[in-house]
Amino acid sequence: MGYVITIDGPAASGKSSVSRELSKKLGVPWVSTGAFYRGLAYVAQQLKTDLDNPVALSELCFSSFWKIVLTSENTQVWFEGKNVTDKTSHEDVGNIASKISHFPEVRQSLLDHQRNCAVENIGLIAEGRDCGTVVFPRAEAKIYLTARSADRATRRAQELGLDKSVLEAQQKQRDIQDSTRKVAPMQVPDEALVIDTSELSLDDVVGKAYQFIQQKLK
Ligand code: DC
Protein backbone atom coordinates (compact mmCIF):
# COMPACT_ATOMS: atom_id res chain seq x y z
CA MET A 1 0.00 0.00 0.00
CA GLY A 2 1.34 3.46 -0.81
CA TYR A 3 1.50 6.18 1.81
CA VAL A 4 1.50 9.96 1.68
CA ILE A 5 3.86 12.20 3.63
CA THR A 6 3.30 15.95 3.67
CA ILE A 7 5.90 18.65 4.29
CA ASP A 8 4.59 22.18 4.68
CA GLY A 9 6.23 25.44 5.66
CA PRO A 10 7.21 28.94 4.54
CA ALA A 11 9.45 29.90 1.61
CA ALA A 12 13.05 28.63 1.82
CA SER A 13 12.46 26.56 4.97
CA GLY A 14 14.10 23.58 3.23
CA LYS A 15 10.98 21.73 2.01
CA SER A 16 12.34 20.74 -1.41
CA SER A 17 15.78 19.64 -0.18
CA VAL A 18 14.26 17.54 2.60
CA SER A 19 11.62 16.05 0.27
CA ARG A 20 14.28 15.12 -2.31
CA GLU A 21 16.42 13.34 0.30
CA LEU A 22 13.46 11.55 1.90
CA SER A 23 12.30 10.49 -1.54
CA LYS A 24 15.70 8.83 -2.15
CA LYS A 25 15.73 7.16 1.27
CA LEU A 26 12.14 5.87 1.09
CA GLY A 27 11.95 5.15 -2.65
CA VAL A 28 8.78 7.23 -2.96
CA PRO A 29 8.31 10.04 -5.53
CA TRP A 30 7.98 13.65 -4.38
CA VAL A 31 6.20 16.72 -5.66
CA SER A 32 6.50 20.44 -4.98
CA THR A 33 2.91 21.72 -5.05
CA GLY A 34 4.36 25.23 -5.28
CA ALA A 35 5.47 24.31 -8.83
CA PHE A 36 1.79 24.25 -9.86
CA TYR A 37 1.31 27.83 -8.63
CA ARG A 38 4.64 28.96 -10.06
CA GLY A 39 3.87 27.23 -13.37
CA LEU A 40 0.47 28.89 -13.57
CA ALA A 41 1.98 32.29 -12.70
CA TYR A 42 4.66 31.93 -15.39
CA VAL A 43 2.30 30.66 -18.08
CA ALA A 44 -0.25 33.39 -17.29
CA GLN A 45 2.50 35.99 -17.67
CA GLN A 46 3.62 34.53 -21.00
CA LEU A 47 0.08 34.37 -22.36
CA LYS A 48 -0.76 37.79 -20.91
CA THR A 49 -3.67 36.37 -18.93
CA ASP A 50 -5.20 38.90 -16.54
CA LEU A 51 -3.64 38.06 -13.15
CA ASP A 52 -6.69 39.58 -11.42
CA ASN A 53 -9.17 37.34 -13.24
CA PRO A 54 -9.71 34.09 -11.27
CA VAL A 55 -11.94 32.55 -13.96
CA ALA A 56 -9.36 33.03 -16.72
CA LEU A 57 -6.63 31.75 -14.41
CA SER A 58 -8.55 28.64 -13.43
CA GLU A 59 -9.30 27.87 -17.10
CA LEU A 60 -5.56 28.04 -17.68
CA CYS A 61 -5.09 25.29 -15.06
CA PHE A 62 -6.67 22.83 -17.52
CA SER A 63 -4.84 24.08 -20.62
CA SER A 64 -2.66 21.66 -22.61
CA PHE A 65 -0.05 24.42 -23.17
CA TRP A 66 1.69 23.46 -19.95
CA LYS A 67 2.25 20.49 -17.66
CA ILE A 68 4.01 19.42 -14.48
CA VAL A 69 6.57 16.59 -14.59
CA LEU A 70 7.83 14.83 -11.47
CA THR A 71 11.50 13.78 -11.40
CA SER A 72 13.73 12.64 -8.54
CA GLU A 73 15.61 15.98 -8.59
CA ASN A 74 12.78 18.49 -8.94
CA THR A 75 9.21 19.16 -9.99
CA GLN A 76 9.41 20.51 -13.52
CA VAL A 77 7.22 22.96 -15.38
CA TRP A 78 6.93 22.44 -19.13
CA PHE A 79 5.41 25.12 -21.36
CA GLU A 80 4.82 24.73 -25.11
CA GLY A 81 7.09 21.66 -25.19
CA LYS A 82 10.00 23.31 -23.31
CA ASN A 83 11.28 22.78 -19.79
CA VAL A 84 10.90 26.23 -18.18
CA THR A 85 11.53 25.18 -14.56
CA ASP A 86 14.55 27.51 -14.19
CA LYS A 87 12.42 30.47 -15.23
CA THR A 88 9.72 29.61 -12.69
CA SER A 89 12.22 29.55 -9.82
CA HIS A 90 12.71 33.34 -9.99
CA GLU A 91 11.52 35.20 -6.91
CA ASP A 92 9.20 37.44 -8.95
CA VAL A 93 7.38 34.35 -10.26
CA GLY A 94 7.10 33.12 -6.64
CA ASN A 95 5.56 36.44 -5.66
CA ILE A 96 2.97 36.28 -8.46
CA ALA A 97 2.31 32.63 -7.53
CA SER A 98 1.60 33.73 -3.98
CA LYS A 99 -0.81 36.44 -5.18
CA ILE A 100 -2.84 34.21 -7.52
CA SER A 101 -2.87 31.39 -4.95
CA HIS A 102 -5.39 33.31 -2.84
CA PHE A 103 -8.16 32.80 -5.45
CA PRO A 104 -10.36 29.87 -4.30
CA GLU A 105 -11.15 29.06 -7.97
CA VAL A 106 -7.47 28.66 -8.76
CA ARG A 107 -6.81 26.48 -5.70
CA GLN A 108 -9.79 24.28 -6.53
CA SER A 109 -8.68 23.87 -10.15
CA LEU A 110 -5.18 22.78 -9.15
CA LEU A 111 -6.32 20.45 -6.38
CA ASP A 112 -7.10 17.34 -8.45
CA HIS A 113 -3.89 17.75 -10.46
CA GLN A 114 -1.96 17.78 -7.18
CA ARG A 115 -3.86 14.84 -5.68
CA ASN A 116 -3.36 12.79 -8.85
CA CYS A 117 0.39 12.85 -8.20
CA ALA A 118 -0.23 10.20 -5.53
CA VAL A 119 -0.31 7.02 -7.58
CA GLU A 120 -2.04 4.11 -5.85
CA ASN A 121 0.33 1.58 -4.25
CA ILE A 122 3.36 3.83 -4.69
CA GLY A 123 2.77 6.76 -2.37
CA LEU A 124 4.02 10.33 -2.44
CA ILE A 125 5.91 12.99 -0.53
CA ALA A 126 4.09 16.29 -1.13
CA GLU A 127 5.51 19.65 -0.07
CA GLY A 128 3.89 23.07 -0.01
CA ARG A 129 1.69 25.22 2.22
CA ASP A 130 -1.57 23.26 2.57
CA CYS A 131 -0.50 19.69 1.78
CA GLY A 132 -1.24 18.33 5.26
CA THR A 133 -4.39 20.39 5.79
CA VAL A 134 -6.18 20.43 2.41
CA VAL A 135 -4.48 18.45 -0.36
CA PHE A 136 -3.80 15.30 1.68
CA PRO A 137 -5.60 15.69 5.04
CA ARG A 138 -5.38 11.92 5.62
CA ALA A 139 -1.62 11.68 5.05
CA GLU A 140 0.15 9.05 7.17
CA ALA A 141 2.80 11.49 8.40
CA LYS A 142 2.78 15.29 8.43
CA ILE A 143 5.82 17.51 8.92
CA TYR A 144 6.06 21.29 9.19
CA LEU A 145 9.41 22.97 8.57
CA THR A 146 10.21 26.42 9.76
CA ALA A 147 13.33 28.60 10.15
CA ARG A 148 14.24 32.10 11.23
CA SER A 149 13.40 34.64 8.55
CA ALA A 150 17.04 35.85 8.29
CA ASP A 151 18.30 32.27 7.80
CA ARG A 152 15.74 31.57 5.11
CA ALA A 153 16.67 34.76 3.28
CA THR A 154 20.38 33.87 3.47
CA ARG A 155 19.72 30.41 2.01
CA ARG A 156 17.63 31.72 -0.89
CA ALA A 157 20.07 34.59 -1.53
CA GLN A 158 22.90 32.05 -1.88
CA GLU A 159 20.83 29.82 -4.16
CA LEU A 160 19.73 32.66 -6.45
CA GLY A 161 22.77 34.98 -6.10
CA LEU A 162 20.56 37.88 -4.96
CA ASP A 163 20.63 40.54 -2.25
CA LYS A 164 19.65 39.14 1.14
CA SER A 165 17.84 42.18 2.53
CA VAL A 166 15.60 42.57 -0.55
CA LEU A 167 14.79 38.85 -0.43
CA GLU A 168 14.01 38.91 3.28
CA ALA A 169 11.51 41.75 2.79
CA GLN A 170 9.87 39.90 -0.14
CA GLN A 171 9.71 36.63 1.80
CA LYS A 172 8.10 38.34 4.78
CA GLN A 173 5.48 39.81 2.49
CA ARG A 174 4.88 36.36 0.91
CA ASP A 175 4.64 34.67 4.35
CA ILE A 176 1.98 37.19 5.40
CA GLN A 177 0.02 36.65 2.17
CA ASP A 178 0.29 32.85 2.38
CA SER A 179 -0.64 32.58 6.05
CA THR A 180 -3.47 35.13 6.15
CA ARG A 181 -5.42 34.22 3.00
CA LYS A 182 -8.97 33.03 3.60
CA VAL A 183 -8.73 29.73 1.72
CA ALA A 184 -6.20 27.06 2.71
CA PRO A 185 -3.78 29.36 4.55
CA MET A 186 -0.33 28.10 5.45
CA GLN A 187 -0.62 26.59 8.94
CA VAL A 188 0.78 23.80 11.06
CA PRO A 189 -1.41 20.70 10.48
CA ASP A 190 -2.72 18.87 13.57
CA GLU A 191 -0.35 16.10 14.64
CA ALA A 192 2.49 17.49 12.52
CA LEU A 193 6.09 17.21 13.63
CA VAL A 194 7.44 20.78 13.65
CA ILE A 195 11.16 21.12 12.88
CA ASP A 196 12.96 24.44 13.17
CA THR A 197 15.76 24.08 10.61
CA SER A 198 17.62 27.31 11.52
CA GLU A 199 20.43 25.58 13.42
CA LEU A 200 20.29 22.16 11.76
CA SER A 201 22.14 20.64 8.81
CA LEU A 202 20.15 19.05 5.99
CA ASP A 203 21.24 15.59 7.23
CA ASP A 204 19.95 16.40 10.73
CA VAL A 205 16.56 17.53 9.44
CA VAL A 206 16.23 14.50 7.16
CA GLY A 207 17.22 12.24 10.09
CA LYS A 208 14.53 13.70 12.38
CA ALA A 209 11.88 13.53 9.67
CA TYR A 210 12.85 9.95 8.75
CA GLN A 211 12.63 8.78 12.36
CA PHE A 212 9.18 10.39 12.75
CA ILE A 213 7.93 8.80 9.51
CA GLN A 214 9.15 5.34 10.60
CA GLN A 215 7.20 5.69 13.88
CA LYS A 216 4.06 6.81 12.05
CA LEU A 217 4.24 3.95 9.54
CA LYS A 218 4.61 1.25 12.22
O1 DC B 1 6.85 26.73 -2.30
P1 DC B 1 6.98 27.79 -3.33
O2 DC B 1 7.81 28.95 -2.87
O3 DC B 1 7.44 27.25 -4.65
O4 DC B 1 5.47 28.33 -3.55
C1 DC B 1 5.19 29.48 -4.33
C2 DC B 1 3.85 30.07 -3.91
O5 DC B 1 2.79 29.17 -4.28
C3 DC B 1 3.67 30.30 -2.42
O6 DC B 1 4.16 31.56 -2.00
C4 DC B 1 2.18 30.17 -2.22
C5 DC B 1 1.75 29.20 -3.30
N1 DC B 1 1.52 27.85 -2.77
C6 DC B 1 0.31 27.61 -2.18
O7 DC B 1 -0.51 28.51 -2.05
N2 DC B 1 0.01 26.36 -1.74
C7 DC B 1 0.89 25.36 -1.84
N3 DC B 1 0.56 24.13 -1.40
C8 DC B 1 2.16 25.60 -2.42
C9 DC B 1 2.46 26.87 -2.87
Side-chain angles (χ1 to χ4, degrees):
M1 223 349 234
Y3 52 82
V4 175
I5 294 159
T6 61
I7 305 186
D8 289 303
S13 54
K15 301 185 299 290
S16 290
S17 308
V18 172
S19 300
R20 187 181 301 116
E21 292 309 310
L22 284 174
S23 162
K24 282 183 202 150
K25 262 173 112 84
L26 296 163
V28 167
W30 72 283
V31 64
S32 154
T33 55
F36 287 82
Y37 293 95
R38 284 175 182 270
L40 180 64
Y42 176 78
V43 170
Q45 262 186 325
Q46 297 304 303
L47 298 178
K48 307 214 179 335
T49 306
D50 180 359
L51 297 173
D52 293 316
N53 182 341
V55 176
L57 288 169
S58 35
E59 275 169 14
L60 204 51
C61 297
F62 300 97
S63 147
S64 56
F65 285 128
W66 69 290
K67 64 177 179 182
I68 294 290
V69 176
L70 272 54
T71 77
S72 56
E73 277 312 299
N74 59 4
T75 303
Q76 300 181 346
V77 180
W78 286 68
F79 174 55
E80 291 182 328
K82 289 197 192 91
N83 182 350
V84 294
T85 316
D86 280 357
K87 296 191 166 111
T88 63
S89 61
H90 292 181
E91 214 50 23
D92 56 339
V93 176
N95 294 334
I96 298 172
S98 171
K99 281 194 194 112
I100 60 175
S101 73
H102 77 262
F103 290 126
E105 297 90 336
V106 166
R107 303 201 71 83
Q108 188 58 40
S109 300
L110 291 178
L111 199 53
D112 279 347
H113 294 304
Q114 294 172 347
R115 286 185 175 150
N116 288 339
C117 294
V119 180
E120 215 177 328
N121 296 329
I122 296 182
L124 183 72
I125 299 169
E127 61 99 330
R129 303 289 186 292
D130 63 341
C131 292
T133 49
V134 175
V135 189
F136 297 109
R138 298 174 63 188
E140 276 77 4
K142 301 179 184 183
I143 294 165
Y144 188 90
L145 298 184
T146 180
R148 283 189 299 259
S149 146
D151 293 298
R152 293 193 281 118
T154 305
R155 274 182 211 159
R156 197 45 67 86
Q158 280 166 356
E159 264 171 42
L160 300 175
L162 295 174
D163 181 75
K164 186 193 150 192
S165 53
V166 176
L167 266 178
E168 190 171 0
Q170 286 181 349
Q171 279 184 358
K172 278 188 178 155
Q173 172 67 22
R174 195 135 74 87
D175 290 349
I176 293 170
Q177 277 172 197
D178 293 347
S179 54
T180 57
R181 66 174 173 235
K182 290 207 180 79
V183 184
M186 172 173 75
Q187 56 183 311
V188 181
D190 289 343
E191 294 180 28
L193 171 72
V194 178
I195 308 177
D196 185 329
T197 68
S198 310
E199 307 278 345
L200 299 175
S201 68
L202 176 59
D203 277 357
D204 291 339
V205 181
V206 172
K208 279 178 190 287
Y210 184 76
Q211 214 182 358
F212 175 72
I213 293 163
Q214 294 303 326
Q215 277 170 13
K216 285 284 183 184
L217 295 180
K218 259 187 204 158

